[in-house]
Every structure is written in structure tokens, then in C-alpha cells.
Amino acid sequence: MKVLFVFFTDPPRAFSSSVAALSAVVRAAGHDVEALEVSVKGGVADAARSICEAGADLVAVSAMTRDWPGASAVLNQVPPGVFVVVGGYHATFAPRDVATNPRVDAICIGEGERPLRSLLGAIERRKLDPIAGLWLRDVDGFPGEPPDADPEPDIARLPNWDYDVFGDMRQILRVGINTFGPHVDAYLPVRASRGCPFRCAYCSAPAWHRAGNYGDQSMRHLRPVGDLTRELASLCERYQPEGFEFWDEHFPISVDWLQEFAERFPVEVGLPFKVEMHPNAATRERLELLLKAGCSLFHCGVEAGDEDFRRNVLQRRTRDRDLERVFDDCRALGLPTSASLMTMLPGERREQTLATTALLRKLRPGSFMWSTYQPLPGTPLGDAAVANWPGPAASTLDDHPGYPSRTPADVSAEEREDTFRELATYQAELVREASVAAGHRPRPVDIPETGQRATPELAELLGVSLGQGSGLRLLSAVWQQGGLTLELAAPGLEQAQVTLRAKDGSPCYKATSHLSIAYRGKQAPPPLLGLLEHLAGRLGAVALDDLARAFPESGH
């Protein structure tokens, strides 16, 4: 049997820890396996064509929530006769959303090693009886309730990750697949444990922790040190990485385990490594043990700069003074640091985004990464924000207008743009300084696309005012994915996102002679419908080139 794993990346990265873990199970069962990386910036039709050309008997899709609309659109074009199983965070916490896709035959709940192994055996026997951890489609759809997960009770019994499924790993490492730190290097991703003991309101890890029953003390979710070092030593010989980057949800905090690790790792492996740990767990003792073991970078989440907001909204109970202590301790020990944070969080205001930048400058990490908040199923914040998860993409894998606006009601488009620019400026400064000092290639600074303040010519063409006012208003505009995305406001409508593209037959709200008009959101309230009808009337004979002449800032 041939199994094709499909995974989605943004930015491109020819590696997936989920695929590495599951591919090892498929190989151990004696089957052929292949991996297909799909960029979320690519086209639905191209991705579907690649899957079909692979000629697999079973297609296994690993999808995060951001990936699923595009993945669903791709699967709709996969021909009958290929068994399709979908797993990952979104499948586990929004299985009924995944079940609406008619091409999905099975949905994996939680970790997939045991369910996938059982599924392969059942397909070979041509008898699909109920399988623990899998929700199987029958002739009438997906019956009953999704099952519980079927986690591995001892992760030391699992086969080691399969790196070769991605191709020439030495070449891939030269390109760089590392995540932490200011520069691109040849660190190889590995894992020592599963689960995270913290309960942040925005994160899927707490629900994943419950699904995997990681609180059960009779199960082993932490690899023995000797088992881990033996594998890492063999990876050193095979792929010659510069070091290792631990992709644990939370690096082990058992002091006894860390003491043994600090004694054995330098002798048996001897390469530098990077870890991520919650700042509340980063005691001076643990940091000293990490440094003794050979840690070259300590990463932790800051998330937001307002302490009350972190505690009351994000359930991230870390005080500013504790964060300062962690970064001060690392500096005193000579341990390099990096941090992560989110922007445009539910209820976040401009003064709170300013507090985030101010706290970063106070903590002075060696580098930081940042992202725009996205609601996730199975999380308190995500479930409060989204009643129904969006349908499939139209043409490109990230073309799915069904998510809530990425700008909270309390942050305007201009304030969002200012926040992104402030963070990007500081991030680029840190990355440049650290990379030059280390002699490494700087990591590309990922600046989310922000609206550019539009021209009066564009506002006149659309028949709206520019900026402030009480009528139809154009707040910002940006060229992206071959179209013009507008941030608009109208009486009774604080803000709406509308995209204008060349008409190509793709689904849209309305089509003019040359353009398609689409809006972002689950439904259009009457003020938005009125705005869309107004635009359709104004743009009757307007082409995309006319819009480009009125708004040429991007060089479109």
C-alpha cells in the first residue's frame, strides 16, 4: 500500500513533526510512504493535481485550523477510490466541521500512531470495523459522536521519527527548517516529551493534553534520557546537524530528568540545542541545568505586554517581574534568549499593543517572533469567537473569508498597521544585530501584510470618502494574492473587509463586467450588503488595471 502524507506550510518548510512521527509507523508496518509539502500561498488546483499524480492508496492530511479550508477544497478534487484520513488539531477539536467534506473517510482524534496502525491493518483485511481513535464514515455519513483519542501509553515504544520521507535531510538542513532564534541554521527538530501542563485560553495544548490523557501518571509521556540521547547520537552521525531544536509543546521540567540530561547529553551527544519553556517554570535551577547540558537558546512566550490582560483574558498568569527575572537570569548566565507574542487579540486595545512593545524593549530578548491571533476550536477564546468554522477555499489555499476579522473591534485598521510596523522595526533590528554577531544568515522578518493608506483617486473611483466621516469610508487598501483588499466602513458597520479580483468564475458575492466582489465574514449584515451593492454599481465597467492606476503603491 502507498500512503501519501499531505502537510501545509507558511512560510515554506520541508518538514512536519506530525508527518515524521506517523511516517515511521507506516514504514514499520511495511508500506510505502511519501510526503507532500503544500504552501498555503499556492493554488487549490495545483495541490489537488500533485496529490492525484502521487497515485497513493491512502491520503493522510495533517491540518491546523488555518489550513483546513484550503485542505478541504483540495480534497474535494481528489478522485474516488483513494481513502482519505484527516488528523491534527482541527480534526480533533472540530471533527464535525471536517466531517462535512464528502471526500473524508476517517477522522483521527488526538495522536495518530495507534489509530493509523490499526487503520492500515483494517484496510489490508478489507474490513473496517470500529477503530479506537478514528471516526469512520459509513454509508449514511459519520455516525454517532466522535470517539475518544487512543494515545500511546508509553512514547518510548514509538518508532523514531522518519526524516528521510522529506528527501535529502542534509540539504534541507542547509536551507534551514529551524523555528527559534534570529537566524537560519542547521538545527534538526526533535522531541523529548508530549503535553503541556499550562492552561492558556488561546492555545490548543490544554485540550490536546486532555485528549491525550497526559495527566495520567500511569502513562509515560516523557522519554527516558538514555533513549533520547541514543537517538540523537545516531542523528548526529546520519545528518550532521549543527544542533537540535526541541519541538516539545513544553520542554520537560522535571528537575530529576533535567539533572540526568545535563550529565549525559554533553557526553553522549555533545551538540548545542534550543528549547521552549513557560516562564513560570524557568527557575534559576532549571536554567542552570539547561546551560550545563549545552542549551544555546532559551525561548519563552511573552504573548502580551499588559499584565492584567494576560491574566484575565489569556489565562497566562505570569507577572511582569517574573518575566524580567527570567530574562535577567538568562543574561547573567550567558544563555541567549528569544520570545514569542501575539497581536490583535480579542478585546485588545491600542494602549495594550503599545504595552507589548514597551515590555519587549524592557525584557530585551535576543530576538522575538510574533503572529496575528487566530481563533482555534477547543480553546476558550476560539469557541467564544466562532460559532461555525468556515467553508473551503475558493482558488488559493488561504483564500477563505469565513474567519472573523483579524482586527478586533477595539483596534482600528490604522492602529493595527502602526502596531505591526512598530513590532517589525524592532524585530528586524534584533535579527540583524544577532545574526551579524553570530555570523549566520538572518531569519527573514515575517511582516504580516498591512493595509496601505489609500489614494484619493481610489476613493473617488469607489465612490467613498477617504478616512474619517459619517458615510461610506475607505480605511485602507493593500494588493495581495492578485487582488485589491479594502478595509471599509459604513453607517451601522464599523469595519468590513472586501476583496476585488479579476472575474474568473470563482465564487463571489457579486460579479461586474470585469471584477468579482467578495467579503470576509460568515454572513453579511444589511449595512454591508448595501455597501457591496454600492461598489457593484460603481465598478460596473471598471477593470483591475483601472484600480491599479488609481492605487499603484504596491507596483501591481
Side-chain angles (χ1 to χ4, degrees):
M1 188 186 310
K2 181 177 180 180
V3 176
L4 175 69
F5 285 101
V6 181
F7 64 102
F8 301 84
T9 59
D10 180 25
R13 179 182 289 119
F15 181 79
S16 161
S17 59
S18 299
V19 172
L22 295 173
S23 177
V25 171
V26 175
R27 287 196 196 276
H31 301 287
D32 296 330
V33 62
E34 185 178 330
L36 174 65
E37 178 193 5
V38 177
S39 169
V40 300
K41 301 300 183 185
V44 169
D46 290 339
R49 188 179 308 112
S50 296
I51 292 175
C52 295
E53 290 173 352
D57 303 293
L58 185 149
V59 171
V61 175
S62 177
M64 304 287 282
T65 296
R66 68 166 192 186
D67 306 327
W68 176 242
S72 181
V74 170
L75 292 179
N76 284 333
Q77 299 187 29
V78 173
V82 178
F83 194 97
V84 175
V85 57
V86 178
Y89 283 103
H90 193 73
T92 296
F93 303 127
R96 294 193 181 280
D97 182 40
V98 176
T100 61
N101 186 296
R103 281 300 290 113
V104 175
D105 298 297
I107 299 171
C108 182
I109 307 298
E111 301 287 358
E113 289 96 347
R114 288 162 64 90
L116 181 58
R117 187 185 301 115
S118 298
L119 176 63
L120 293 172
I123 292 176
E124 283 188 304
R125 295 190 302 272
R126 300 181 183 275
K127 189 175 182 182
L128 285 180
D129 292 326
I131 297 173
L134 279 184
W135 199 17
L136 293 170
R137 182 187 293 276
D138 62 21
V139 292
D140 298 318
F142 285 87
E145 296 295 322
D148 293 332
D150 184 27
E152 171 57 55
D154 181 0
I155 64 170
R157 299 192 312 204
L158 293 172
N160 294 335
W161 282 1
D162 176 16
Y163 294 90
D164 293 332
V165 71
F166 303 103
D168 184 347
M169 184 53 63
R170 292 192 183 186
Q171 176 59 36
I172 290 171
L173 285 175
R174 283 195 287 271
V175 174
I177 53 176
N178 65 299
T179 299
F180 304 141
H183 47 253
V184 178
D185 53 42
Y187 277 52
L188 185 68
V190 292
R191 181 172 289 172
S193 65
R194 284 180 170 175
C196 175
F198 293 91
R199 299 291 180 265
C200 304
Y202 53 85
C203 182
S204 297
W208 195 260
H209 190 95
R210 292 191 296 272
N213 200 20
Y214 294 137
D216 186 343
Q217 298 302 310
S218 68
M219 301 174 70
R220 181 159 63 180
H221 307 296
L222 173 60
R223 295 180 67 180
V225 172
D227 176 64
L228 176 63
T229 57
R230 279 191 295 275
E231 182 197 4
L232 300 188
S234 69
L235 293 174
C236 290
E237 182 177 349
R238 185 165 190 172
Y239 301 119
Q240 299 180 354
E242 291 182 7
F244 294 103
E245 190 168 89
F246 282 92
W247 281 14
D248 299 53
E249 290 93 342
H250 189 283
F251 196 71
I253 58 176
S254 164
V255 173
D256 289 343
W257 189 93
L258 287 172
Q259 288 173 338
E260 183 182 356
F261 183 73
E263 294 296 332
R264 298 185 63 167
F265 184 88
V267 176
E268 298 173 18
V269 182
L271 288 184
F273 63 91
K274 307 174 189 178
V275 302
E276 179 176 13
M277 185 181 287
H278 194 291
N280 287 7
T283 62
R284 181 68 175 242
E285 179 184 19
R286 291 190 176 101
L287 292 174
E288 290 173 345
L289 288 170
L290 289 174
L291 187 65
K292 179 181 178 181
C295 184
S296 60
L297 186 137
F298 175 85
H299 179 91
C300 75
V302 172
E303 310 310 353
D306 186 298
E307 185 175 316
D308 289 338
F309 184 82
R310 282 200 309 271
R311 180 179 62 252
N312 298 327
V313 177
L314 305 184
Q315 301 297 303
R316 182 87 173 179
R317 295 179 174 86
T318 306
R319 297 171 296 185
D320 286 354
R321 68 187 187 193
D322 294 327
L323 284 166
E324 292 176 38
R325 191 269 308 162
V326 169
F327 284 90
D328 286 345
D329 280 350
C330 286
R331 265 187 294 275
L333 293 168
L335 181 57
T337 58
S338 68
S340 56
L341 59 102
M342 292 177 291
T343 62
M344 304 300 108
L345 289 152
E348 192 173 37
R349 301 183 302 276
R350 175 58 174 153
E351 55 264 35
Q352 290 162 329
T353 69
L354 288 168
T356 298
T357 307
L359 180 60
L360 279 174
R361 290 188 176 275
K362 190 172 185 179
L363 298 176
R364 292 180 295 127
S367 65
F368 69 92
M369 63 179 75
W370 55 288
S371 61
T372 302
Y373 169 76
Q374 177 176 303
L376 300 175
T379 68
L381 289 185
D383 289 340
V386 181
N388 296 297
W389 298 95
S395 57
T396 59
L397 278 90
D398 60 352
D399 175 22
H400 42 84
Y403 286 122
S405 170
R406 288 179 174 235
T407 304
D410 294 331
V411 178
S412 70
E414 289 86 352
E415 290 172 335
R416 177 183 62 177
E417 182 178 347
D418 290 341
T419 297
F420 287 174
R421 184 169 53 251
E422 291 158 3
L423 289 171
T425 299
Y426 188 38
Q427 183 188 36
E429 176 185 325
L430 293 175
V431 165
R432 183 172 56 254
E433 290 177 357
S435 297
V436 169
H440 280 80
R441 177 160 46 105
R443 182 183 300 282
V445 174
D446 183 16
I447 305 175
E449 292 172 325
T450 59
Q452 301 172 9
R453 288 176 173 81
T455 61
E457 292 79 7
L458 179 62
E460 182 179 358
L461 186 64
L462 299 173
V464 298
S465 64
L466 189 61
Q468 303 301 315
S470 58
L472 303 179
R473 307 188 309 280
L474 175 59
L475 305 177
S476 65
V478 63
W479 289 103
Q480 53 185 5
Q481 299 173 13
L484 182 60
T485 297
L486 312 172
E487 295 281 358
L488 295 150
L493 184 68
E494 182 174 354
Q495 189 171 323
Q497 188 178 96
V498 176
T499 300
L500 308 176
R501 291 194 177 93
K503 186 169 67 173
D504 61 0
S506 299
C508 62
Y509 169 75
K510 203 171 190 68
T512 66
S513 298
H514 303 288
L515 299 172
S516 67
I517 303 175
Y519 64 87
R520 185 168 187 160
K522 295 189 290 295
Q523 58 184 355
L528 177 55
L529 292 175
L531 174 58
L532 295 170
E533 291 291 351
H534 167 82
L535 290 177
R538 292 283 302 193
L539 300 172
V542 172
L544 201 63
D545 287 344
D546 299 318
L547 295 174
R549 282 189 288 272
F551 183 63
E553 271 72 1
S554 69
H556 175 80

